[in-house]
Amino acid sequence: MNLVHRKEQKQKKMAMGVATMAARSAIYINTWPASMGLKIKGNFRAQASSSSSSSFSNSRKLVLYSKPGCCLCDGLKEKLQSAFTLSGPYSINDVELQIRDITTNPEWEKAYQYEIPVLAKIRSDGTEETLPRLSPRLGIEIIQKKISAAFNEQSS
């Protein structure tokens, strides 16, 4: 078996794994104009949002500052989507996630251009608190636990 054939087999297995994970998670994928933010709730029904002050419908709110073509951002988005589907004592499936494209807002771009991906929780008074950076090597369960802990700090 040559190297090219092995690589093709590995790519097919990875593609099947992604398709299976998407089907199991009931992820709804929608395409939105680049000028609009994207809100993802725990159930992954996406909603467009065009401003930073758009209101969320529940009390646990998380913002991900990102931009197109950022592989670290894309990796974190995938892990967050998976973390939202997990149940248990650290469940975050009631958290509403809003993804903000920093290229659509000069203030966001100036603040986060060298820092993305950046996660921030929205406090009850509407202010944002930047969360510590999550390593790309962290597992989904650890990400879920860290986000849950960040929200539990606020409510204590």
Side-chain angles (χ1 to χ4, degrees):
M1 191 181 279
N2 66 24
L3 185 61
V4 173
H5 184 68
R6 286 185 190 160
K7 187 175 181 181
E8 288 173 357
Q9 283 185 329
K10 186 175 180 181
Q11 288 174 340
K12 285 180 185 177
K13 284 182 183 178
M14 287 175 54
M16 290 183 70
V18 168
T20 301
M21 185 175 75
R24 286 184 186 156
S25 301
I27 297 173
Y28 299 90
I29 300 173
N30 292 305
T31 304
W32 301 98
S35 64
M36 310 216 27
L38 181 65
K39 279 194 216 176
I40 299 176
K41 293 184 180 183
N43 66 6
F44 301 113
R45 291 192 187 272
Q47 299 172 342
S49 170
S50 60
S51 72
S52 63
S53 61
S54 63
S55 61
F56 289 100
S57 62
N58 65 15
S59 62
R60 293 181 5 144
K61 305 157 194 156
L62 192 64
V63 175
L64 173 62
Y65 289 95
S66 178
K67 75 175 183 180
C70 171
C71 60
L72 291 174
C73 302
D74 293 340
L76 183 56
K77 285 178 206 173
E78 289 177 15
K79 287 187 176 186
L80 287 171
Q81 288 176 343
S82 296
F84 284 129
T85 64
L86 296 177
S87 57
Y90 303 108
S91 177
I92 57 172
N93 57 11
D94 65 326
V95 172
E96 189 170 336
L97 175 67
Q98 182 182 40
I99 299 173
R100 295 182 181 167
D101 179 357
I102 65 168
T103 64
T104 64
N105 182 311
E107 290 178 21
W108 298 342
E109 191 162 28
K110 184 178 179 183
Y112 302 119
Q113 66 181 333
Y114 302 114
E115 304 297 324
I116 58 170
V118 173
L119 273 176
K121 70 178 179 181
I122 306 295
R123 295 184 181 130
S124 57
D125 64 0
T127 60
E128 288 185 16
E129 177 184 337
T130 302
L131 300 180
R133 180 175 293 280
L134 297 173
S135 168
R137 294 184 176 144
L138 289 178
I140 296 164
E141 294 84 5
I142 300 297
I143 289 174
Q144 179 195 42
K145 188 174 181 179
K146 287 181 176 283
I147 292 172
S148 178
F151 282 109
N152 289 336
E153 286 175 7
Q154 177 181 359
S155 62
S156 302

